[in-house]
Amino acid sequence: MRFAIAPEQADFVAGLRRLLAAADTPAVLRASIAGDHAPARALWARLADLGVSALAVPQRYGGLGATPVDLALAFVELGRAGVPGPAVESVAILPCLLGQVAPERLEPLLAGSVIATVAAPPLAPRAADCDAADEVYLCEAGTLSLAAVQRRERSVDRSRTLATVSATSVLGEVDAGAAIGLGFLASAAGLLGAGEAVLEQAARYATQRVQFGRPIGAFQAVKHLLADARVGLELARPVLFGGALSVGTGDEARDVSAARVCCADAAYRAARAALQVHGAIGYTAEHDLSLWLTRIRALQHAWGTQRWHRSRVLAELTG
Amino acid sequence: MRFAIAPEQADFVAGLRRLLAAADTPAVLRASIAGDHAPARALWARLADLGVSALAVPQRYGGLGATPVDLALAFVELGRAGVPGPAVESVAILPCLLGQVAPERLEPLLAGSVIATVAAPPLAPRAADCDAADEVYLCEAGTLSLAAVQRRERSVDRSRTLATVSATSVLGEVDAGAAIGLGFLASAAGLLGAGEAVLEQAARYATQRVQFGRPIGAFQAVKHLLADARVGLELARPVLFGGALSVGTGDEARDVSAARVCCADAAYRAARAALQVHGAIGYTAEHDLSLWLTRIRALQHAWGTQRWHRSRVLAELTG
Amino acid sequence: MDLDLAPDTVAFRDEVRAWLRAHVPAAALPSMDTPEGFRAHREWERTLADARLSVVSWPADLGGRDASLEQWVVFEEEYYRAAAPLRVSQNGIFLLAPTLFAHGTPEQLVRILPPMARGEQIWAQAWSEPEAGSDLAAIRSRAERTDGGWLLYGQKTWSTRATYADRGFGLFRTDLAAERHRGLTYVMFDLRAQGVTVRGIPQLDGEPGFAEIFLDGVFVPDADVIGEPGNGWRVAMSTASNERGLSLRSPGRFLAAADRLLELWRRRPEPALADRVVDAWIGARAYELHTWQTVTRLADGGELGAESSIGKLHWSQLDVALHETALDLLGADGELAGPWTAGYLFSLAGPIYAGTNEIQRNVVAERLMGMPR
Amino acid sequence: MDLDLAPDTVAFRDEVRAWLRAHVPAAALPSMDTPEGFRAHREWERTLADARLSVVSWPADLGGRDASLEQWVVFEEEYYRAAAPLRVSQNGIFLLAPTLFAHGTPEQLVRILPPMARGEQIWAQAWSEPEAGSDLAAIRSRAERTDGGWLLYGQKTWSTRATYADRGFGLFRTDLAAERHRGLTYVMFDLRAQGVTVRGIPQLDGEPGFAEIFLDGVFVPDADVIGEPGNGWRVAMSTASNERGLSLRSPGRFLAAADRLLELWRRRPEPALADRVVDAWIGARAYELHTWQTVTRLADGGELGAESSIGKLHWSQLDVALHETALDLLGADGELAGPWTAGYLFSLAGPIYAGTNEIQRNVVAERLMGMPR
């Protein structure tokens, strides 16, 4: 029993974090909001160089065939940095789906030259971030198809575009469970990372912002708000990796959904605390915090709601 | 529209509060815990002199035929003082039930010479405080009966005794809705009063107890705990009286259950805050706070749970 | 004790209800934080004023109806129930006007209030500064004495509506030697005057709902100072109490939102969320009844005072919880931009503005419960 | 990264599980806060010790098995799952013993620990005083120098188990001139010695789970001081960290409670409470996984440190919420005195003892997040 990341995993995380810290992701997100996806594409290309897009592609197709733990580690960093999507879809879900029926489509995906997204009704009724994607898929009733955008809709997170899609050509029958399970895990990881990022921003702000003659972090109300959010994140992290270790076992449904519940709750609590600590400035679109706040809210509803994941855990526990 | 108590109601409340403040109710409760109900009986006799036991008895039977608002005002004070039961049963519910089928049994009840309790399965499967009562009734499936204790059980509130009962002789068919509705209202009022009492105790303690060189009430964490509890109680009070005004109207079920939900939640939150403010001393049976804490928890389950009342409100709103 | 509306209130309510049914635009107006939306909302104020419904609680000679508090609460309830447009004039009519009624000169009343009532002058509040958010006494913007008036210098921020509004009001330091609360003066100024620069600040939804105001020698005549110079803190506090209290957050808003939540529940029931739905409705109802209690107290000559902090803590938390519940009921659709997400983002500001909830809890604990400072 | 138990841990777990199945009393022992219950629990400690299962993590020559942390967590999980009796010796084995291992002399180890392991000496903690609850540095009880030892004077309170225990341990002021944390000495003393008066304090459930201890010239030999005189604060802090951390609240306790909650849910499902039931299980699981993370870190030579405050905040709130959920599921039966109400009342102490949660939040914010003091 060694429930800690290995040195080579820590190295991978450190490399990823360095790349992302230098990438000015807030500017990338703002460009996406303005409809300019070129900066996001450039960032994705650099992430592909580091192997991110090849993580979940099996080795027999030239990918890294990384473990779910590695995938989760990567998504924590993507979430922390606020990398625009479609990440869960392109990196976590589609490799597993395409490997089953259209492995020839994997190569550009793992190389990062193609970014793709997928809708999976009824759980994920819309394809996310299709404006930034080269390919759109539809996975419905056990069938994977290429798809075309029907109707665009806006998300509360202005850097996301959502669209209902319809199938244009059928690729074949797939077992979607494993693929979407990886999507749940990646979604949980991304939320944890985003939650950690907003709480760090809030803690930094609390030591700098002075009101009533003291840094606001000296007030017990602010301390306790931050501490409670920290507790949530600290407890969510091991549940995330417990979920990653359960992938492929009989406990996967229970443990991955538990991870998603914990990470999404902890991230949301951290976001609320961060906004309260920042006060009015956190409410402005100009402040970077806003990019994470709306994203964390939006992702509560993506790839299964909290309610859906909770009832899945309960069914596993009592079924 | 005058949503405030009238001067004569304020006088009644003040008189009741004076009597109860002088009655050393903690000692009365401790005697009840020890199985000695004589002090409780003596207190009940004094309350009867003030008219409390006659409040809900119709004037045609010699009672005061008081309004539901008056009844609620009285029960707030009984709850605040921690008067042992059976109060909801003897003062609020039974007058209305007995008036329908056995008005001759009202006279000793309103005089305070008889204290009575009642079970009403499935909502109230056990008769409360039967050890302190002279008469035990069973109201089940629209029939009111005299009843005998079958099996005693302990409550988490050690001053309450619960018992399953069985009918010994049938008194007649009753419409129990109105009677039990008054019970809900009285239960809500008692909880509000108990909540106000524990919060006042906590606020007093917070100004006296010194830790780290300051009264603990100077710490923001303590202030905010108290303030949040206070908000709950302040918002519950108008809902209680809104419920009282709705009795007999088409909104009664909705508004009385809403009152019970608000008052019970606010009281419970106040109890938890009071315990946290007191620290270990609040956890001791020797401290008076303990008498209210266990009572507030017990009463969450009496005359309808919070869940039951919430689903009643929702049914009224959406049915 | 009763909750029965007076006969004239019932008549007034029926009139308001009928008028709103006939006049509220079928399609929602564009956001008032866009130029075209601001114009549309300004026109709506004019429409309201033509029916003498824009400022019902004001005296008749200033454009109102001398409505009682009871009638005002009923008006607001009807207004929100009808889903009528948000009030672009709210900073003026709910924040500035009460201050003028309490401290303004007769000349100020007749000059300022009628155009406010007709939407011809839209007012922006200018309370906060970069270093004075919750801590208003830390204000640094100043007004220097000049011939016949004052010159304003400094920076205001989080100024709601200021992007498109006509005039602003706020506190300025007139005695630089005085400490914190002292030496502040309550000033009205023209947002189009020379020396004013307004920069819109986009909110979470991307629209510039508030703005920064830079003031560089902006002239303000003596006639536009409210109360005595140096006495601005006391003058402002009556406004602040109004902002936190009855005026800005009438129960109608939450009752209407709770009704929409129940409608959503009917269409998409989810048993696991039942209690949250019920609690949202109960919370709105509690705030309504709490408001009636306050209305009665004020009608009896009582003061709003520190108890307004209790109301603010309640409605601000209720509003967030109610909207979170709606988003959760919407399931995967909960992230779609629409009325529920707009209401949700708006609700998030509740625990922050008009005195953060942390400060309100201090007020409740210290002033109402006797905790040491 | 893995969660696979080592082969010897699996073997140990199987042994423990089999032994517990064979030996845990079918009927629960009477409360250890009654004289007969205390005796029964003391005997159970002896039974455990006979199987060398009373102090598995201790060295073999002191009655233990040199169990690894991994094995200890597994032992606790099995122990709670088997609903085995509460440990009447827990103050000794979880609070005092770690202090002795860190600061005791070899003589103290061999004299104190074996009888502790066999339940022959039951220890009570004596931390708090009437004026020093959360603020341990405010301790006033004192130890005066005398020939060959010390004389204890003063009063201790909230002393868990002291009503029936044999010996106690705590901090005493030995240098009256020193400020707060300084001048304190860590002392073990006999609860039956001359000059000791113990008065049981009934808890919410009416049983004397803790006691006041009055000390009037109680003699303690030098051999019963742990560490250097005057250095007691530092010595105690290692115990306090243990109290808050891994030792006292093993995840097994909450996993077992969550399993019972799920069992209750199966019998009395209530859809509106579904999410609370799930969250209780997830919370227990999270604490288990968090503990495995800590076990790994400690095995790598890391320290528990301020992170133990995170665990304490989590489990204490989880425990209350889990029991509240159970009571709510029980409906009208929720007020009946029984295992769930007993667990509920016990859980209410969690946010208070071993450093209140308010203090734990300060620790998290200040030491882990860099907030100013």
Side-chain angles (χ1 to χ4, degrees), chain A residues 243-264:
Chain A
L245 289 173
S246 79
V247 170
T249 75
D251 293 331
E252 174 180 333
R254 182 194 73 183
D255 288 355
V256 169
S257 279
R260 166 52 201 265
V261 166
C262 274
C263 291

Side-chain angles (χ1 to χ4, degrees), chain A residues 144-275:
Chain A
L144 184 69
S145 313
L146 278 165
V149 166
Q150 276 200 305
R151 193 161 64 91
R152 282 190 167 66
E153 288 174 293
R154 287 177 56 221
S155 165
V156 65
D157 172 3
R158 297 183 306 133
S159 72
R160 275 164 73 85
T161 10
L162 299 169
T164 48
V165 302
S166 58
T168 50
S169 71
V170 170
L171 293 173
E173 292 195 1
V174 288
D175 176 1
I180 291 178
L182 283 187
F184 296 152
L185 183 70
S187 151
L191 278 159
L192 180 68
E196 290 179 351
V198 291
L199 194 65
E200 284 162 20
Q201 289 175 43
R204 207 158 41 234
Y205 186 75
T207 59
Q208 293 162 355
R209 168 76 168 170
V210 173
Q211 290 275 277
F212 305 103
R214 301 153 68 187
I216 59 172
F219 290 99
Q220 211 178 20
V222 172
K223 283 182 189 175
H224 288 195
L225 201 58
L226 293 172
D228 283 334
R230 175 70 176 255
V231 169
L233 292 166
E234 288 287 331
L235 270 293
R237 181 170 268 270
V239 182
L240 173 66
F241 292 108
L245 289 173
S246 79
V247 170
T249 75
D251 293 331
E252 174 180 333
R254 182 194 73 183
D255 288 355
V256 169
S257 279
R260 166 52 201 265
V261 166
C262 274
C263 291
D265 267 6
Y268 187 66
R269 179 193 254 189
R272 293 279 294 111
L275 176 57

Side-chain angles (χ1 to χ4, degrees), chain C residues 307-343:
Chain C
E307 297 208 12
S308 66
S309 294
I310 285 181
K312 201 256 168 166
L313 283 163
H314 179 75
W315 66 248
S316 61
Q317 295 175 104
L318 162 66
D319 204 24
V320 174
L322 189 157
H323 284 88
E324 286 175 342
T325 303
L327 297 187
D328 287 346
L329 273 179
L330 285 164
D333 297 346
E335 71 159 307
L336 293 180
W340 281 116
T341 50

Side-chain angles (χ1 to χ4, degrees), chain C residues 170-188:
Chain C
L171 292 177
F172 290 81
R173 198 163 284 286
T174 41
D175 179 353
L176 299 182
E179 279 286 299
R180 293 181 56 80
H181 298 101
R182 296 168 218 284
L184 294 170
T185 298
Y186 198 120
V187 172
M188 301 180 282

Side-chain angles (χ1 to χ4, degrees), chain B residues 154-156 160 209 268 283 285, chain D residues 130 202 324 333 335 337 344-345:
Chain B
R154 287 178 54 221
S155 165
V156 66
R160 274 164 73 85
R209 169 76 167 169
Y268 187 67
Y283 198 70
Chain D
E324 286 175 342
D333 297 346
E335 72 160 306
Y344 166 72
L345 293 179

Side-chain angles (χ1 to χ4, degrees), chain D residues 137-308:
Chain D
I139 280 172
R140 291 187 191 170
S141 293
R142 63 190 200 280
E144 290 182 4
R145 202 75 184 97
T146 187
D147 268 4
W150 303 81
L151 294 172
L152 308 183
Y153 295 90
Q155 183 187 349
K156 298 287 184 179
T157 191
W158 318 128
S159 180
T160 319
R161 298 290 94 78
T163 313
Y164 308 112
D166 306 296
R167 307 200 67 193
F169 56 93
L171 291 177
F172 291 82
R173 198 162 284 287
T174 42
D175 179 353
L176 299 182
E179 278 287 299
R180 295 182 56 80
H181 299 102
R182 295 168 220 284
L184 295 170
T185 298
Y186 198 119
V187 173
M188 300 180 283
F189 58 95
D190 194 333
L191 284 165
R192 314 270 165 74
Q194 198 167 19
V196 177
T197 310
V198 175
R199 197 183 69 87
I201 309 174
Q203 318 181 123
L204 285 177
D205 64 1
E207 303 296 351
F210 28 58
E212 289 176 302
I213 305 173
F214 301 89
L215 302 140
D216 185 17
V218 178
F219 177 74
V220 167
D222 284 326
D224 283 351
V225 168
I226 307 179
E228 292 300 307
N231 203 21
W233 182 260
R234 205 176 63 79
V235 174
M237 282 302 99
S238 62
T239 309
S241 172
N242 256 286
E243 183 184 19
R244 287 203 280 267
L246 266 179
S247 316
L248 200 57
R249 284 292 166 262
S250 63
R253 188 169 118 72
F254 308 107
L255 289 167
D259 281 342
R260 288 195 298 275
L261 182 66
L262 288 169
E263 189 49 46
L264 181 59
W265 165 269
R266 278 186 211 98
R267 283 189 288 116
R268 305 171 81 133
E270 164 54 78
L273 304 183
D275 286 357
R276 291 169 59 192
V277 172
V278 181
D279 284 348
W281 182 84
I282 293 179
R285 172 77 172 156
Y287 187 57
E288 180 193 25
L289 292 166
H290 187 257
T291 302
W292 286 125
Q293 186 179 286
T294 308
V295 165
T296 304
R297 198 176 74 241
L298 296 177
D300 286 353
E303 300 230 327
L304 196 50
E307 297 208 12
S308 65

